[in-house]
Amino acid sequence: KGFEEDPALQAAVTWYKARTYEAEKFNDTYELHKLAARLLEFQTSPPRRGWVFKDPIHYGSLERIADVYPGAVVVVVHRDLSEALTSWVTRYDSKEVQRAAVEIMAVGLEQRLEFRARLEAEKEKRVHFVDVNSEDLRTDPVGAISRLLSSIGGEIEEGHVEA
């Protein structure tokens, strides 16, 4: 089925566009997300300290994330844009979905850059940005993660790295 004949695919694209462009409609989503994460914390023994949530779709909601998760660390993995776009859009067969994916990524990137610029001007940082080069993650993953953790006051704990 093509995009024009697939109402589920059309609905998914519409939802993702709305999610990216109109993030304020999803304000309660992050409150529920935080509640779910807190509930999950107590399902582990010992209880978890912090979570890692990864998805660039959240770039459009950084303002809300900063409100709900004050002190959050936003890790920005820098990679070649053409490589990133290619890996993201080739998941989809439909040209319409590919165009929408590129549009969503572009808007999310723009929103992240604008938010980061505003945040840099604030005296008290609501979230902290850490930049990581994807090539460093590929060639020296332990070193890259060690530098990332060090930049936020953490370190790799014994037993997390095996030779």
Side-chain angles (χ1 to χ4, degrees), residues 24-39:
E24 68 276 359
K25 290 184 178 179
F26 293 88
N27 281 346
D28 293 341
T29 303
Y30 287 105
E31 293 290 347
L32 290 171
H33 185 269
K34 185 175 183 175
L35 175 62
R38 283 186 173 164
L39 291 171

Side-chain angles (χ1 to χ4, degrees), residues 130-154:
V130 177
D131 296 291
V132 178
N133 185 306
S134 67
E135 188 61 27
D136 292 344
L137 286 170
R138 277 193 286 274
T139 60
D140 180 19
V142 174
I145 298 300
S146 181
R147 288 186 295 279
L148 184 155
L149 289 172
S150 177
S151 73
I152 59 171

Side-chain angles (χ1 to χ4, degrees), residues 11-163:
V13 169
T14 301
W15 183 86
Y16 276 111
K17 280 186 170 183
R19 170 74 176 80
T20 302
Y21 303 142
E22 302 171 30
E24 68 276 359
K25 290 184 178 179
F26 293 88
N27 281 346
D28 293 341
T29 303
Y30 287 105
E31 293 290 347
L32 290 171
H33 185 269
K34 185 175 183 175
L35 175 62
R38 283 186 173 164
L39 291 171
L40 288 171
E41 283 177 5
F42 296 102
Q43 300 298 316
T44 62
S45 181
R48 245 186 112 96
R49 289 184 14 227
W51 289 88
V52 175
F53 304 110
K54 180 198 175 294
D55 194 333
I57 197 73
H58 296 292
Y59 283 163
S61 302
L62 287 174
E63 192 75 50
R64 186 65 183 142
I65 289 170
D67 292 340
V68 175
Y69 291 99
V73 176
V74 176
V75 177
V76 180
V77 178
H78 296 274
R79 62 191 279 206
D80 179 81
L81 187 56
S82 63
E83 180 186 305
L85 281 171
T86 301
S87 72
W88 210 47
V89 300
T90 55
R91 300 180 206 176
Y92 311 106
D93 293 331
S94 164
K95 294 292 182 200
E96 290 86 354
V97 175
Q98 289 176 350
R99 277 193 291 279
V102 169
E103 189 177 329
I104 288 167
M105 184 179 262
V107 169
L109 179 60
E110 185 177 307
Q111 289 173 337
R112 176 179 53 91
L113 292 171
E114 289 172 0
F115 175 75
R116 190 170 185 175
R118 281 194 320 272
L119 190 69
E120 294 297 327
E122 292 180 5
K123 288 189 176 15
E124 181 153 338
K125 305 292 185 236
R126 293 180 291 145
V127 299
H128 305 279
F129 282 90
V130 177
D131 296 291
V132 178
N133 185 306
S134 67
E135 188 61 27
D136 292 344
L137 286 170
R138 277 193 286 274
T139 60
D140 180 19
V142 174
I145 298 300
S146 181
R147 288 186 295 279
L148 184 155
L149 289 172
S150 177
S151 73
I152 59 171
E155 61 183 47
I156 293 179
E157 296 177 15
E158 188 176 325
H160 283 162
V161 179
E162 292 184 24

